[in-house]
Amino acid sequence: MAVACAVTAAVVLLPLAHATPDTTPGVPARGPAPAAPAAPWSLADTCQDPEASLRPSDVDGAAITRIKAAGKLVAGVDQNSFRWGYRNQTAEGGRLDGFDIDLVKAIAKDILGDENAVIYRAIPTSQRVPALQEGRVDIVVRTMTINCERLADVAFSTAYFEAGQQVLAPKGSPITGYDASLKGRRICVAAGSTAQSALKAQSYGSVPVTVANQLDCLVRLQLHEVDGIITDNALAAGQAAQDPSVRLVGSPFTREFYGVAMNKDASDLVRRVNKVLENYRAGGNDSPWMRAYLKHLQPVLPGVTAPPAPKYRDG
């Protein structure tokens, strides 16, 4: 992630500098986003139904106007999560590919009229919230779970995928799931992930090992530096597809929903993304969502029949 490399003439992957504004030629610098105004709803109210988001709208506000003036959508993504956001070495130039990448393109197409008008910034799990708060990206589309804790810091779209935390372990391992079989085992989680929060709340006597990116856990498992991984089963299915020596064990022990994350003051962008998602889900088996699922995820995560239904709130 230390080297910037072009994906196409209009689609660029850049590293995420912790405090450096975007200096891409022709793109106005993005400094820290202005302070968010007082929300007309409380976190406690929202947490009764955290997946409820603002109602869709295509009205341009300050955030949309700024993106249009820049001519590019700056998206925080992963480049290491197989089938979600990854370097597809079989594609021309090893371009970014995956379910999350297709959604970014749909958002850019709606706002800017060009699905390739995107600057991709590869960000570690722990930097997803700071990147939005500091104005280094416009959106984060990176298998990010909507939850109450994160709603205190960022805004989310409606849910675009449902997943759950599960354990990934080598075949033949005595680990049987998220249970007492973890005792004394080294269990890898990504910093800032819901898996890390789960392990802090109930470790079952395991020894947590924290890394910056989820794929680092798979590498450590392959090197026998850890005994198992806890992550979203949607991500773990991709990892198991990459390495047939590992498998998901036990059952998912949470129910989680991925959303597009944005700065809390960008309510017009939240509404616009929700409008994009309404269109993305529409059409049943021929919807853009289902086509993306069949292309990227069905081979490793079969059995999904529809996207999660959107939930909305007023405010």
Side-chain angles (χ1 to χ4, degrees), residues 28-30 33-34 61-72 74 135 137-138 263 266 269:
R30 282 169 164 79
I64 297 292
T65 299
R66 174 177 53 75
I67 292 167
K68 286 184 174 181
K72 296 287 178 71
V74 182
V137 297
D138 299 313
N263 192 282
L269 181 57

Side-chain angles (χ1 to χ4, degrees), residues 297-310:
L297 301 180
Q298 196 272 341
V300 299
L301 198 68
V304 179
T305 58

